[in-house]
């Protein structure tokens, strides 16, 4: 499936992949996030005409939010509708943080039409997630670096740090949560 | 950090998504709130006399508020998810409310005309809604806290839903203290307290449910 499939095809291709991702298939999850990132970039680019620099930051912010809240996905719903709900929320949040009100008037319902644009080109984020990662509390930072960047398994990271496996998982989750919160409070542009 | 790198970071070893997250966050919040409001009602306000538990007095209230708590709990679970429809739980909550108002009006109608007003107002109509509001505060805090970890994209509606759930649970707690017997009283003043908490939740939602 291509990222530039029509909205209906995109959903029917994405859904089985997403369900596999939800049940723990990391490769399927990575592919879903890549496909969604291209759609999100197109979606935000068309809505942030005056703020092109904010597009990639918002894509990254939305991906983080999707990841942290993926337990709220309900298989009865189209994946695109769920993702778009979060993307719109992030857009409204950005406008609010920048003191603009009522900048957004498009209705929520016509999901398919609004998820048409695709943009695989990473325009470069202004906000430095690496730097924000380094500001996390040491235990959270270490758990993320070991499991997510160095690619150790949770068990290996547990042996390396002397923490339990569930403690490592908790630290990773808390660290990403804190990262997402920090991302909202640091506006780079 | 490039977006590819972030995706790699998120996907690596991600494991399965947590299941039934909304229920797992909201149910403990509601339960903790119920214990808190029941505890405050019994210890600080004082429980109704024990023999009254053999009558319909507390149980009508608990049944009404409990049914509302289930409907509004469901409403919270829906509003905690992007794109999920809230129509069914909203309809259920309105149906419960409608049934209680109908029942209250019918019992009031059966009373002699000169007793109707005193049945409706009871002894405590002025304080009842505020007591319900007070007893719902622990649940309101817990429910808003739970919603912050979920994904409410309509913060005002989700805040109102949290308030209505909290109000319903506060009303269950208040039923342990309140000796009023008229169904019309419950339909009017308990509902007023629940609505008041709903309004508080709606005011807090946009401030608290930012993510």
């Amino acid at each position: 499936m291509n990222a530039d499939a029509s909205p209906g095809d995109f959903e029917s291709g994405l859904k089985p992949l997403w369900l596999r991702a939800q049940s723990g298939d990391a490769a399927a999850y990575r592919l879903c996030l890549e496909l969604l990132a291209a759609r999100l970039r197109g979606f935000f680019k068309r809505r942030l005409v005056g703020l092109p620099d904010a597009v990639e930051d918002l894509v990254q912010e939305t991906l983080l939010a999707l990841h942290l809240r993926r337990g709220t996905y309900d298989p009865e719903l189209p994946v695109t509708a769920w993702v778009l709900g979060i993307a719109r929320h992030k857009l409204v949040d950005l406008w609010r943080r920048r003191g603009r009100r009522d900048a957004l008037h498009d209705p929520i319902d016509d999901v398919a039409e609004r998820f048409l644009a695709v943009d695989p080109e990473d325009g470069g984020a202004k906000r430095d997630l690496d730097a924000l990662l380094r500001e996390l509390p040491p235990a959270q930072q270490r758990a993320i670096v070991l499991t997510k960047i160095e690619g150790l398994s949770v068990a290996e990271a547990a042996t390396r740090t002397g923490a339990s496996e569930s403690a490592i998982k908790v630290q990773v989750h808390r660290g990403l949560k804190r990262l997402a919160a920090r991302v909202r409070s640091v506006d780079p542009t | 950090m490039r977006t590819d790198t972030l995706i790699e970071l998120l996907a690596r070893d991600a494991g399965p998504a947590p299941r039934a997250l909304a229920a797992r966050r909201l149910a403990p919040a509601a339960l903790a709130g119920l214990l808190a409001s029941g505890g405050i009602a019994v210890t600080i306000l004082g429980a109704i006399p024990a023999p009254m538990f053999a009558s319909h007095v507390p149980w009508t209230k608990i049944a009404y508020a409990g049914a509302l708590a289930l409907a509004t709990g469901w409403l919270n679970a829906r509003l905690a998810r992007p794109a999920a429809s809230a129509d069914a739980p909203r309809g259920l909550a309105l149906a419960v409310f409608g049934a209680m108002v109908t029942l209250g009006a019918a019992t009031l109608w059966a009373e002699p005309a000169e007793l109707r007003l005193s049945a409706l107002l009871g002894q405590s109509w002025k304080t009842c809604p505020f007591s319900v509001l007070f007893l719902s505060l622990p649940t309101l805090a817990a429910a808003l806290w739970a919603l912050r970890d979920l994904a409410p994209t309509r913060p005002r509606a989700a805040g109102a839903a949290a308030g209505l759930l909290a109000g319903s649970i506060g009303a269950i707690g208040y039923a342990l203290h309140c000796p009023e017997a008229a169904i019309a009283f419950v339909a009017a003043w308990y509902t007023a307290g629940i609505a008041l908490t709903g309004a508080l939740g709606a005011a807090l939602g946009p401030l608290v449910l930012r993510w």
Side-chain angles (χ1 to χ4, degrees):
Chain A
M1 182 189 50
N2 295 317
D4 58 356
S6 77
D9 293 347
F10 182 67
E11 173 64 31
S12 52
L14 181 65
K15 182 121 182 200
L17 205 56
W18 179 260
L19 293 178
R20 268 165 48 205
Q22 288 289 88
S23 56
D25 181 338
Y29 189 40
R30 181 182 304 111
L31 190 50
C32 284
L33 292 180
E34 282 165 5
L35 292 166
L36 286 169
R39 292 266 163 169
L40 287 169
R41 196 172 289 121
F43 175 79
F44 288 135
K45 206 168 258 184
R46 289 199 309 176
R47 277 161 188 76
L48 292 168
V49 176
L51 281 173
D53 286 349
V55 170
E56 205 59 32
D57 288 319
L58 210 50
V59 170
Q60 296 190 353
E61 207 183 315
T62 306
L63 291 173
L64 257 173
L66 287 185
H67 176 74
L68 288 169
R69 287 154 214 275
R70 65 191 185 122
T72 68
Y73 173 71
D74 174 350
E76 311 241 306
L77 298 170
V79 186
T80 39
W82 179 78
V83 171
L84 210 56
I86 293 180
R88 279 184 43 91
H89 178 79
K90 284 292 169 192
L91 194 57
V92 172
D93 188 51
L94 178 84
W95 290 132
R96 190 184 49 71
R97 286 188 334 240
R98 290 170 184 244
R100 278 184 57 177
R101 282 163 210 286
D102 299 313
L104 218 72
H105 291 293
D106 51 4
I108 326 171
D109 324 66
D110 45 5
V111 168
E113 295 307 309
R114 298 188 181 261
F115 222 27
L116 270 169
V118 175
D119 195 334
E121 202 62 45
D122 182 341
K126 290 272 169 186
R127 189 194 289 125
D128 190 354
L129 279 187
D130 295 293
L132 291 179
L133 210 49
R134 284 193 292 274
E135 290 171 17
L136 293 180
Q140 295 174 3
Q141 191 191 337
R142 199 165 147 78
I144 290 177
V145 168
L146 288 178
T147 61
K148 296 288 198 175
I149 295 173
E150 293 185 12
L152 265 59
S153 71
V154 173
E156 288 165 340
T159 322
R160 178 89 68 91
T161 55
S164 71
E165 287 187 32
S166 60
I168 295 285
K169 284 187 196 161
V170 168
Q171 299 292 15
V172 169
H173 186 75
R174 288 208 184 133
L176 292 177
K177 245 175 105 171
R178 187 181 279 247
L179 188 65
R182 291 283 295 140
V183 154
R184 284 186 68 247
S185 61
V186 180
D187 244 330
T189 37
Chain B
M1 184 183 286
R2 289 178 51 83
T3 301
D4 303 352
T5 319
L6 175 67
I7 289 174
E8 189 58 41
L9 184 152
L10 294 178
R12 178 172 283 163
D13 219 6
R19 283 174 187 280
L21 190 63
R24 285 207 343 241
R25 286 282 189 281
L26 288 166
L31 200 63
L34 181 64
L35 291 175
S37 67
I40 296 170
V42 170
T43 56
I44 297 178
L45 302 180
I48 49 174
M52 216 180 248
F53 281 100
S55 74
H56 83 88
V57 171
W59 302 113
T60 310
K61 298 164 182 163
I62 290 173
Y64 172 52
L68 274 184
L70 289 177
T72 55
W74 185 20
L75 183 64
N76 273 274
R78 284 295 176 87
L79 287 171
R81 297 189 176 119
S85 164
D87 293 346
R90 191 160 39 212
L92 180 63
L94 284 173
V96 171
F97 169 61
M100 192 63 181
V101 167
T102 310
L103 201 60
T107 54
L108 213 54
W109 199 250
E111 296 272 345
E114 64 275 17
L115 293 181
R116 280 178 197 154
L117 189 64
S118 59
L120 179 63
L121 299 182
Q123 303 292 315
S124 58
W125 68 278
K126 281 184 191 158
T127 53
C128 168
F130 299 102
S131 303
V132 169
L133 173 65
F134 170 66
L135 288 176
S136 68
L137 294 178
T139 315
L140 183 59
L144 287 173
W145 189 257
L147 282 174
R148 280 174 64 92
D149 266 348
L150 300 169
T153 51
R154 287 157 281 180
R156 192 172 295 280
L164 293 174
L165 171 64
S168 307
I169 286 175
I172 296 176
Y174 188 60
L176 303 178
H177 164 76
C178 163
E180 301 282 357
I183 291 176
F185 179 93
V186 180
W189 307 112
Y190 275 57
T191 309
I194 294 167
L196 211 55
T197 318
L200 178 61
L204 289 175
L207 302 174
V208 175
L209 300 176
R210 289 179 179 172
W211 50 276

